Amino acid sequence: MYDDPIVPLFGPGPPGSRALKGLYRDLDLPDRGRAGPWIYANFVQTLDGRISLVNETTGIEGVAGSIADPRDWRLFQELASHADVLLSSGRYLRDLKAGTAQDILPLGGDADFLDLHAARRERGQRPQPDVLVISASLDFVVPQLLLDQGRGIHILTTADADPKRVRQREAEGATVHRLDSGERVSGQRIAHTLTSLGYRRAYCATGPWVFHTLVADDVLDTLFLTTRHRLVAGNGGTFVAGPVFEPPADLRLESLYLDQGSNVGQFYARYQVLSPEEE
Ligand SMILES: NC(=O)c1ccc[n+]([C@@H]2O[C@H](COP(=O)([O-])OP(=O)(O)OC[C@H]3O[C@@H](n4cnc5c(N)ncnc54)[C@H](OP(=O)(O)O)[C@@H]3O)[C@@H](O)[C@H]2O)c1
């Protein structure tokens, strides 16, 4: 599955094709970002910008089989293998309970990912990253599997959060951090909470709303973006959703690879988010 090589098109490193496996596993990634921890995100999208599709029969939105790709999933896992903590959302935990999520939060236990567990051990990291869930509604259940894996589960919620649900999530084993004021959790508050908990590398595995929150508050450092050379049309989401960014958020391309190894080609791009003073 990972045998076909990929071709570097832009960025550091030697010219000529290289193996897909290890592309992101072997990177020496930062552990400090602009707002404390280094915060990085990853999406797979189609050429027409879809990260999700609404199933026309069930009405359920999710990462359709026409968007997901096993070679991209390998890179998703490689990026996750560097993380101290994963950022997740209330929506993701609802999908998980409904059986419509792509997978339980990494790292996967498949034989294909054993090298990533070994890489974590060599770096002195815990077997699995902890989890920080961003949610206003608290309308989900803390998955027992995550607790069985010995992971710290933190929930960051608003001042308006329902006290009964706060108690329920705490009883399920999570630590709930509730804002003093405000209806939305801000990116600054996410970064501040990560710092106070001692996390240095946070991987954003959420959808477009949490991503918007991080970019709007200038705390996101890096975006990894897979673009499949495929059109799907239909109804669905893009990787950022929310009010217009004023000013726009600009990014600088750091590396780009072409992968023709799947049934359809794809680009793997890495972008640095620019601070206003860098522009
Ligand atoms: N292709 C890809 O790479 C990829 C990656 C990720 C997701 N997806 C897909 O994208 C689709 C859409 O995801 P989504 O719209 O659910 O996005 P999301 O950003 O993962 O989750 C949105 C939820 O996060 C919480 N939230 C977001 N911002 C918040 C804030 N500032 N303060 C408090 N809570 C906040 C809310 O939870 P509560 O409702 O609990 O308050 C909200 O409902 C899904 O189908 C997913 O599968 C695709």
Side-chain angles (χ1 to χ4, degrees):
M1 192 192 306
Y2 309 126
D3 289 343
D4 290 305
I6 59 173
V7 182
L9 300 178
F10 180 79
S17 61
R18 57 151 296 153
L20 173 88
K21 202 168 176 176
L23 174 67
Y24 292 152
R25 178 195 62 201
D26 299 336
L27 287 179
D28 189 15
L29 293 175
D31 61 7
R32 290 288 300 171
R34 67 184 66 197
W38 184 64
I39 304 179
Y40 60 116
N42 174 47
F43 291 95
V44 54
Q45 65 169 2
T46 58
L47 263 187
D48 49 341
R50 289 270 181 265
I51 65 159
S52 59
L53 276 176
V54 178
N55 184 300
E56 288 179 0
T57 310
T58 62
I60 295 172
E61 182 178 352
V63 183
S66 57
I67 297 175
D69 173 72
R71 286 167 68 86
D72 167 72
W73 187 242
R74 163 76 202 184
L75 295 187
F76 178 95
Q77 294 277 337
E78 291 197 4
L79 289 171
S81 73
H82 291 272
D84 298 333
V85 61
L86 299 174
L87 300 187
S88 190
S89 68
R91 183 273 315 160
Y92 179 81
L93 294 184
R94 284 192 287 280
D95 285 1
L96 198 61
K97 188 155 190 294
T100 56
Q102 211 172 355
D103 202 352
I104 186 72
L105 293 161
L107 285 180
D110 309 8
D112 277 347
F113 303 137
L114 291 181
D115 60 311
L116 302 180
H117 291 274
R120 284 184 75 82
R121 282 194 297 276
E122 279 163 26
R123 286 194 288 261
Q125 291 176 291
R126 290 154 60 90
Q128 292 281 353
D130 288 348
V131 178
L132 178 75
V133 182
I134 317 298
S135 173
S137 76
L138 300 184
D139 182 15
F140 56 84
V141 175
V142 176
Q144 186 59 40
L145 178 59
L146 298 181
L147 296 163
D148 292 346
Q149 290 174 333
R151 303 162 77 165
I153 313 293
H154 297 274
I155 299 170
L156 187 50
T157 192
T158 67
D160 295 344
D162 178 349
K164 186 172 163 215
R165 285 187 175 162
V166 171
R167 287 193 298 276
Q168 285 171 334
R169 303 297 81 85
E170 286 173 337
E172 288 162 6
T175 304
V176 180
H177 307 261
R178 199 170 166 187
L179 300 185
D180 297 332
S181 62
E183 297 175 356
R184 308 288 296 160
V185 175
S186 69
Q188 292 293 349
R189 193 53 190 251
I190 294 170
H192 180 265
T193 303
L194 291 168
T195 301
S196 67
L197 292 169
Y199 295 122
R200 297 186 305 173
R201 223 179 268 136
Y203 184 33
C204 176
T206 68
W209 298 97
V210 174
F211 183 76
H212 186 283
T213 300
L214 298 173
V215 175
D217 286 340
D218 198 25
V219 302
L220 186 82
D221 293 289
T222 303
L223 167 67
F224 293 88
L225 183 63
T226 296
T227 303
R228 304 197 71 196
H229 301 170
R230 166 175 278 180
L231 304 171
V232 293
N235 294 311
T238 59
F239 67 81
V240 60
V244 171
F245 291 133
E246 290 286 5
D250 292 337
L251 295 86
R252 181 180 60 231
L253 182 66
E254 304 258 282
S255 64
L256 182 66
Y257 292 85
L258 171 64
D259 180 5
Q260 303 273 40
S262 291
N263 56 341
V264 58
Q266 50 201 13
F267 289 135
Y268 304 125
R270 173 180 176 174
Y271 296 93
Q272 179 68 27
V273 183
L274 298 178
S275 291
E277 58 268 24
E278 288 179 79
E279 296 179 45

